[in-house]
Amino acid sequence: MDFSFTHLWASMGLFAKGIVIVMLLMSLASLLVMFERIVVYMRSGSESVRFAEQMAKVLAGGDLNAAAATKLDKNVGHLGRTINAGLNAFRTAPSNKDVAQESIARALERQAAREVQTFKRGLGVLATVGSTAPFIGLLGTTMGIVNSFQQMASSGSGGLGTVSAGISEALITTAFGLLVAIPAVMAFNFLQGWVDSRSVDLSESSNEFLDVVSKHYAK
């Protein structure tokens, strides 16, 4: 019995081939999401670092008016978009300092939530692939075992040669399911951890900005 992939593919039924094709498509989707998210995260992180370096110099003296008038690069990352939302709220804030601080805080909170939600885009694909691929492989395994019993019944014998093709079909779909699911789960956990870390960073940066706002209105 030849157990090469070519022979296993040739011996598979249409259902098992369909299972393998579906899992290949799921694997491609998870890889695309994985690399796209990594690129987006790295770019946003580097842009945020540049923004922080520029804005730190302006806010060091607590001059919000100068910060609001500062011209920055177009690409400022997740941190820049969040702080800019606060600065925009400061520009249009009413004269009442309590209302103004509350308005700025809400603007920061809304933008931070948007940034986190944007970072989570596509992670659902990884979670879905990681959780469903083993079960899809198990479905192919079940059908492979069924084919083995059918071959055994049609031949009237129970030798290994009779059922080896069905067993091979079952094992290969199980292996495909695991090979697709494991990288997807690992990528999801890594990327979700990155998003959680950036969520904490945005919360801390927003609170620091609000401290500057409080000092501004306390003058």
Side-chain angles (χ1 to χ4, degrees), residues 12-34:
M12 284 182 183
L14 290 177
F15 186 84
K17 288 181 178 179
I19 291 292
V20 171
I21 291 173
V22 167
M23 287 191 292
L24 286 174
L25 294 175
M26 293 172 65
S27 179
L28 288 174
S30 63
L31 288 174
L32 286 174
V33 170
M34 186 191 315

Side-chain angles (χ1 to χ4, degrees), residues 32-194:
L32 286 174
V33 170
M34 186 191 315
F35 288 116
E36 187 270 342
R37 288 290 88 187
I38 289 174
V39 170
V40 169
Y41 293 171
M42 291 179 62
R43 181 185 302 155
S44 184
S46 61
E47 291 172 352
S48 294
V49 169
R50 289 198 301 270
F51 171 83
E53 292 173 350
Q54 291 177 319
M55 189 56 64
K57 299 175 182 178
V58 181
L59 290 177
D63 191 350
L64 282 178
N65 292 313
T70 301
K71 293 183 179 180
L72 299 169
D73 297 335
K74 181 180 179 181
N75 299 318
V76 291
H78 56 278
L79 178 61
R81 289 188 291 270
T82 301
I83 299 302
N84 277 337
L87 290 172
N88 290 333
F90 170 75
R91 295 188 190 98
T92 59
S95 56
N96 187 299
K97 66 177 183 178
D98 293 331
V99 176
Q101 291 182 69
E102 184 179 352
S103 176
I104 295 170
R106 286 200 303 268
L108 291 169
E109 184 178 358
R110 285 194 301 269
Q111 187 61 39
R114 292 192 193 101
E115 295 299 327
V116 172
Q117 191 60 38
T118 300
F119 283 143
K120 290 183 177 180
R121 187 178 302 161
L123 296 187
V125 174
L126 295 177
T128 301
V129 170
S131 60
T132 59
F135 293 103
I136 296 176
L138 182 60
L139 177 61
T141 298
T142 303
M143 294 306 299
I145 297 298
V146 169
N147 290 337
S148 297
F149 281 112
Q150 289 177 342
Q151 293 172 7
M152 188 186 301
S154 62
S155 64
S157 63
L160 180 61
T162 304
V163 298
S164 59
I167 294 174
S168 300
E169 178 181 310
L171 294 177
I172 197 67
T173 54
T174 301
F176 263 109
L178 294 175
L179 287 173
V180 171
I182 291 173
V185 171
M186 293 176 66
F188 174 80
N189 290 334
F190 172 77
L191 296 176
Q192 183 63 52
W194 193 94

